[in-house]
Amino acid sequence: MQYLVSASGYEDENGDYHSGEEHWEGEIPCDAVPAGESDEREFEDGIIRKYSYEVCNIPANCRAFTIGDRVKISLLGGIEREFEVKGFHRYQLQCKIWV
């Protein structure tokens, strides 16, 4: 799994605007388990969201993900898909993301 890192644009001292950059980082080992038809779950913020995959077996020392973060997952057959994080939970020995 990889995650999208975004740097916002800025205006320099001459008033010129420089657009932000986005790039993918990380090579986090994980297992993506399809939910079949979209499943629903109530997340920490109390909102019920549909998700397509549970991404589990993520090392406990990984970065914290927030709702709305973008991740890219390599699926079987070399297929890469981008997802929006719907929920994140850090357990004692591993983490789990719902996308």
Side-chain angles (χ1 to χ4, degrees):
M1 178 177 65
Q2 295 179 317
Y3 52 92
L4 186 63
V5 176
S6 300
S8 57
Y10 66 95
E11 195 171 298
D12 66 15
E13 61 275 354
N14 297 326
D16 296 326
Y17 181 77
H18 300 272
S19 59
E21 296 180 8
E22 294 184 337
H23 63 277
W24 294 99
E25 285 188 4
E27 288 293 330
I28 302 171
C30 63
D31 294 323
V33 180
E37 293 185 23
S38 289
D39 216 345
E40 292 183 349
R41 181 178 189 281
E42 183 175 347
F43 293 97
E44 293 78 27
D45 57 3
I47 297 175
I48 297 173
R49 293 187 183 84
K50 290 186 179 225
Y51 65 93
S52 301
Y53 285 86
E54 280 187 23
V55 183
C56 49
N57 295 329
I58 302 170
N61 62 350
C62 78
R63 69 183 287 265
F65 291 90
T66 58
I67 295 170
D69 283 351
R70 302 290 302 170
V71 296
K72 186 188 315 183
I73 300 173
S74 297
L75 302 171
L76 291 176
I79 299 170
E80 285 189 340
R81 287 192 54 198
E82 291 184 32
F83 296 95
E84 180 179 311
V85 173
K86 309 286 185 186
F88 172 76
H89 187 77
R90 188 179 305 275
Y91 296 98
Q92 187 174 5
L93 300 175
Q94 67 178 353
C95 298
K96 185 184 280 189
I97 295 176
W98 292 267
V99 295

